[in-house]
Amino acid sequence: AELSNLINIAAIRAAVQNKVAVTAAEIEYAKDRVMMGAENTSKVIPEEEKRVTAYHEGGHALVALLLEDKGAEPVHKATIVPRGSGIMGLVQQQPQKDTYSHSLKQLKARLQVCLGGRIAEEILLGGDDVTTGASSDFQQATNMARRMVRQFGFSNGLGTIDYESADTQEGAFMSDATKSKIEAEVQRLVDTAYTDAKQLLTENRSQLDTIAHSLLKYETLSGDQLKALLRGDPLPERFSTGASPSTDGSKAAVPERAA
């Protein structure tokens, strides 16, 4: 039923644009509408809010692009088009092939990507003017780090023990000392990811500015267009933002910047 709905939306979109066939651009439009809601074109967003969103999403995108050879999934697209009731923008990543497990390197890269949005805001605004838009990023990073320690055995200090199953709601099978060690290790993973991501964005500030300014101009950029910007290639004055790279696979979205 969901696939049928997606195809119907794509067909209507093609008809509205006077196209004789449904193309990848219409499929992309329909997918985004089904997954995230319709574009909220009636929402009036202050220019400063748009600028912060562009840097926030640009931070996610740039960290992912710079870490692509170190475990980060390729960027499918970045957008600052508001959707639904509270989505201000997001970055979608897309694996190059089906995957059923993840390496430590990949999860460390994912942590850095999650934190890239807040760090970009800090670089732009300073510490006192950052926004609440990174709350879902923090939630995802914390949950991921906790699973790395408690479930996946990615902690040298705590070893390959399944603390996830051992901990009941009452905490009957886990000592207070072990809980403290787990929380300290989770904090270490997140802090390390934050430090590494901040170094990346600070050292590549000019590229962050380029991506953010381009998002303000075009609103949506594909992964290929983002890579072109990093190479210093100019983008055309007008292009279709609906088309996506011709790759298969499911897409993972970095949690969107909330209003």
Side-chain angles (χ1 to χ4, degrees):
E2 192 168 288
L3 179 59
S4 176
N5 183 37
L6 187 149
I7 296 300
N8 286 337
I9 293 172
I12 292 171
R13 175 73 170 179
V16 168
Q17 296 188 329
N18 295 318
K19 292 186 176 181
V20 297
V22 174
T23 68
E26 286 73 55
I27 295 295
E28 180 78 4
Y29 170 87
K31 174 189 64 65
D32 287 347
R33 180 160 181 166
V34 169
M35 291 177 61
M36 299 175 289
E39 295 181 1
N40 195 338
T41 55
S42 63
K43 179 178 286 188
V44 179
I45 303 173
E47 288 302 312
E48 179 61 17
E49 182 82 5
K50 288 179 66 175
R51 188 168 76 106
V52 173
T53 300
Y55 270 86
H56 183 105
E57 302 306 336
H60 287 308
L62 182 55
V63 172
L65 289 165
L66 294 174
L67 292 179
E68 190 171 320
D69 62 343
K70 296 182 179 179
E73 293 176 340
V75 176
H76 176 65
K77 73 175 179 181
T79 181
I80 59 168
V81 176
R83 290 181 177 275
S85 59
I87 297 177
M88 300 298 292
L90 59 83
V91 172
Q92 286 182 342
Q93 292 172 266
Q94 178 171 284
Q96 294 177 319
K97 59 184 179 180
D98 291 340
T99 55
Y100 303 97
S101 62
H102 297 88
S103 67
L104 175 59
K105 177 175 69 174
Q106 289 173 315
L107 295 184
K108 284 182 174 180
R110 190 176 293 181
L111 284 176
Q112 292 188 55
V113 174
C114 283
L115 299 172
R118 164 56 72 86
I119 295 168
E121 288 190 28
E122 291 177 354
I123 291 173
L124 174 68
L125 303 170
D128 290 338
D129 290 320
V130 294
T131 72
T132 59
S135 59
S136 58
D137 298 335
F138 298 155
Q139 183 180 41
Q140 180 172 324
T142 302
N143 289 341
M144 190 184 313
R146 191 164 283 138
R147 292 187 71 192
M148 289 169 70
V149 174
R150 290 166 56 103
Q151 186 175 357
F152 301 144
F154 287 153
S155 167
N156 292 332
L158 289 160
T160 52
I161 303 297
D162 177 16
Y163 294 103
E164 193 76 12
S165 300
D167 186 21
T168 65
Q169 290 184 348
E170 297 80 15
F173 304 123
M174 192 181 298
S175 68
D176 289 340
T178 299
K179 291 178 183 178
S180 296
K181 288 180 181 179
I182 289 172
E183 290 307 311
E185 190 67 6
V186 169
Q187 185 73 59
R188 185 190 67 80
L189 284 171
V190 175
D191 286 349
T192 299
Y194 175 90
T195 299
D196 292 344
K198 187 168 186 177
Q199 181 177 348
L200 273 180
L201 291 179
T202 301
E203 291 176 350
N204 294 276
R205 170 64 191 269
S206 62
Q207 293 181 319
L208 175 61
D209 292 337
T210 297
I211 290 175
H213 295 162
S214 297
L215 281 171
L216 286 170
K217 181 176 182 179
Y218 298 109
E219 293 192 315
T220 300
L221 296 169
S222 71
D224 287 342
Q225 289 158 351
L226 287 163
K227 288 180 179 179
L229 288 173
L230 296 193
R231 292 193 302 267
D233 299 340
L235 297 180
E237 283 302 309
R238 298 184 65 85
F239 59 78
S240 171
T241 59
S244 62
S246 56
T247 52
D248 295 325
S250 60
K251 301 175 187 67
V254 174
E256 63 274 0
R257 182 175 185 271

